[in-house]
Amino acid sequence: MAEEQFQNDIPVPDDLKNNIFITSLDKLYNWGRKRSMWPMLFGLACCAIEMIATAASRHDLARFGWELMRASPRQADLMIVSGTVTKKMIPQIVRLYNQMPEPRYCVAMGACATSGGPFKEGYNVVSGVDKYIPVDVYIPGCPPRPEALMHSFIKLQEKIEKQSIRTVRWYQKGDEVSIPVPMLGPDLVDMRKANEIKAQAATV
């Protein structure tokens, strides 16, 4: 019925009838994004070795359209945090994440990036990167195998498929996009508050 109505409303030449597809803008846009992700390499420890192994020819990431690894946040839309996140490194992670253009995603690879791992009680280790930047997919393991990283790619693609241009934050008009600010510990200083810290120090 819908096909007959469409054909009655808009006459289609006979040579083009088999070459026309009807879809939504969301599906077309999400199909292109999920098949052309550009991950940013951010290896911090042991998990980085497994991430490098995943990019080798054995696992063939080209099937997902993810084989183009970028070293610049300006050209990436996915950050893979693989390894132990320390308090000294977290400000740089947040800075790089903020430099990535929207839409952007983050994968926490391994126990350390997810929750601190075996070093969680260490004086200089962050208990999960999700306290500082939003994480879309978590990968357990110490370290997780390449198959687990590939599974996370599939899960992220499923998440992208469900997104709509009308609801995602980077297309909303009038609303300011919230930029994550690192929640620094007592031994780290947020330089954006340097003047406030100097004023407090002067009153003591």
Side-chain angles (χ1 to χ4, degrees):
M1 181 67 182
E3 184 180 355
E4 292 178 0
Q5 184 178 1
F6 175 76
Q7 290 178 355
N8 293 332
D9 292 342
I10 303 173
V12 179
D14 293 336
D15 57 337
L16 295 179
K17 284 184 178 179
N18 296 327
N19 299 324
I20 293 179
F21 299 92
I22 301 175
T23 184
S24 65
L25 184 60
D26 282 335
K27 286 188 177 180
L28 185 63
Y29 181 64
N30 293 338
W31 175 81
R33 285 194 304 117
K34 76 174 186 177
R35 291 294 181 182
S36 62
M37 298 290 288
W38 286 11
M40 183 178 67
L41 292 174
F42 204 85
L44 297 173
C46 326
C47 290
I49 304 300
E50 298 297 321
M51 180 176 62
I52 295 169
T54 308
S57 59
R58 177 186 181 97
H59 300 284
D60 190 18
L61 285 184
R63 294 175 295 163
F64 304 96
W66 298 44
E67 73 274 17
L68 189 59
M69 300 286 185
R70 308 307 296 174
S72 169
R74 308 284 186 185
Q75 301 174 349
D77 46 16
L78 170 65
M79 175 185 281
I80 304 174
V81 182
S82 54
T84 309
V85 182
T86 62
K87 292 180 181 178
K88 187 175 182 179
M89 184 57 69
I90 194 64
Q92 281 69 36
I93 294 177
V94 175
R95 177 180 297 176
L96 290 172
Y97 182 81
N98 291 336
Q99 290 175 352
M100 292 168 58
E102 293 277 9
R104 57 193 173 193
Y105 304 95
C106 178
V107 171
M109 181 179 181
C112 291
T114 300
S115 61
F119 312 105
K120 184 174 182 178
E121 302 301 327
Y123 69 96
N124 196 39
V125 175
V126 172
S127 299
V129 72
D130 58 354
K131 291 180 172 57
Y132 306 92
I133 59 176
V135 174
D136 297 283
V137 181
Y138 297 87
I139 310 174
C142 186
R145 291 178 54 84
E147 292 83 359
L149 181 57
M150 294 171 65
H151 182 69
S152 74
F153 292 163
I154 296 172
K155 289 299 178 183
L156 184 57
Q157 286 182 337
E158 292 175 358
K159 180 175 182 178
I160 292 173
E161 280 181 345
K162 298 175 183 177
Q163 290 181 334
S164 174
I165 295 176
R166 292 171 292 184
T167 58
V168 290
R169 65 180 183 274
W170 53 85
Y171 280 119
Q172 298 303 313
K173 294 182 179 180
D175 298 332
E176 294 184 2
V177 177
S178 60
I179 298 176
V181 178
M183 297 178 289
L184 304 176
D187 52 343
L188 289 178
V189 176
D190 187 351
M191 294 309 297
R192 290 170 290 188
K193 298 183 179 180
N195 294 332
E196 180 182 342
I197 294 171
K198 287 180 183 177
Q200 282 184 340
T203 58
V204 176

